[in-house]
């Protein structure tokens, strides 16, 4: 991928509207997963391209510093040669004086060349520095977007799990509806009620049988008294017992 396409990708992804993209997605989670992968890959590619761009800028800056240092060095040599020429000329040695003046001129020429190269590199360095800053800013924006994407994905996954858990609870509640007469609980309750009714019926039946037994005992008592009176009559005794006065 070329650096130009990387830079365009940085701008495009940094400006991406996550919510708008998700609104148009059929499956937001799948879309987020894909976007996280795309952003991660693009960030990796962008970091490589930006690192190369920064490296080129640093080379320009190094060359500029060397040119500035060279200009200063040649200026110093030109000054030293010029002073030597003046010294020799003052001593009457014009031949050597001219020789050192020529050396001073060569040094001054080298100085001017280095200065020109330094000046020529300055606009390029300024422009390249601005580009690097823009790229760094775009890369940081991409990383922020990646963080938003990861957070949004985690939020959607958590909400999806919560919704699934709520759905399971609702299904469980529906399957154990206490008001449903066909439910297992209702049938079990009805079975218990029938057993309780049977026990009450058995109790009533037992009580009824006991009353009948007592009634039969009372009847037997009355028959015994009749027999006793009959025996008394036969024996010539009064049939009615005396009443205490």
């Amino acid at each position: 991928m070329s650096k130009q396409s990387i830079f365009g990708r940085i701008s495009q992804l940094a400006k991406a509207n996550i919510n708008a993209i998700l609104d148009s997605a059929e499956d937001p989670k799948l879309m987020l997963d894909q976007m996280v992968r795309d952003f991660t890959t693009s960030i990796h590619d962008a970091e490589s391209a930006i690192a190369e761009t920064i490296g080129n800028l640093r080379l320009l800056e190094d060359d500029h510093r060397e040119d500035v240092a060279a200009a200063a060095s040649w200026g110093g040599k030109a000054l030293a040669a010029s002073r030597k020429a003046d010294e020799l000329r003052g001593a009457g040695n014009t031949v050597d004086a001219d020789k050192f003046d020529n050396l001073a001129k060569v040094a001054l020429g080298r100085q001017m060349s280095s200065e020109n190269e330094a000046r020529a590199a300055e606009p390029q360095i300024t422009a390249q520095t601005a580009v690097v800053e823009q790229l760094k800013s775009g890369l940081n924006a991409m990383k922020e977007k990646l963080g938003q994407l990861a957070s949004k994905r985690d939020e959607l996954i958590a909400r999806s799990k919560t919704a699934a858990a709520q759905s399971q609870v609702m299904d469980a509640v529906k399957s154990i509806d206490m008001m449903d007469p066909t439910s297992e609980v209702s049938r079990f309750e009805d079975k218990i009620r029938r057993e309780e009714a049977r026990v009450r019926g058995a109790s009533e039946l037992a009580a009824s049988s006991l009353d009948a037994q007592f009634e039969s005992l009372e009847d037997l008592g009355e028959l015994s008294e009749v027999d006793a009176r009959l025996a008394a009559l036969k024996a010539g005794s009064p049939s009615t017992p005396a009443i205490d006065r």
Side-chain angles (χ1 to χ4, degrees), residues 48-205:
S48 298
I50 293 172
E52 183 180 348
T53 304
I54 293 174
N56 292 335
L57 173 60
R58 298 298 175 249
L59 287 176
L60 286 174
E61 291 173 340
D62 290 343
D63 291 343
H64 179 266
R65 280 191 293 269
E66 289 179 4
D67 289 335
V68 171
S73 177
W74 285 115
K77 291 177 180 179
L79 178 60
S82 175
R83 286 177 178 175
K84 185 63 176 178
D86 291 343
E87 181 184 343
L88 292 171
R89 189 169 283 107
N93 189 350
T94 57
V95 174
D96 289 338
D98 290 340
K99 180 179 177 181
F100 276 97
D101 276 338
N102 288 332
L103 287 175
K105 289 180 181 179
V106 171
L108 289 172
R110 297 287 181 86
Q111 180 188 33
M112 292 173 60
S113 176
S114 295
E115 289 174 347
N116 289 335
E117 289 182 4
R119 281 194 295 269
E122 288 172 357
Q124 188 176 359
I125 291 174
T126 300
Q128 196 78 342
T129 299
V131 170
V132 166
E133 292 304 316
Q134 290 177 352
L135 292 176
K136 286 181 177 179
S137 177
L139 182 61
N140 290 333
M142 283 180 65
K143 290 180 177 179
E144 289 180 4
K145 288 287 184 180
L146 179 58
Q148 293 175 14
L149 284 172
S151 177
K152 195 74 172 178
R153 179 187 59 186
D154 294 342
E155 176 192 345
L156 285 180
I157 291 174
R159 286 169 57 187
S160 176
K161 290 181 178 178
T162 300
Q166 290 176 337
S167 178
Q168 289 179 347
V169 171
M170 292 302 296
D171 290 341
V173 170
K174 289 179 181 178
S175 66
I176 312 176
D177 188 354
M178 302 300 291
M179 301 302 294
D180 183 3
T182 62
S183 69
E184 292 296 327
V185 174
S186 180
R187 285 197 292 271
F188 185 62
E189 182 182 8
D190 187 58
K191 180 180 179 181
I192 293 174
R193 291 180 66 242
R194 286 198 299 270
E195 182 64 20
E196 291 173 342
R198 188 191 66 77
V199 172
R200 286 202 308 269
S203 298
E204 291 179 12
L205 181 60

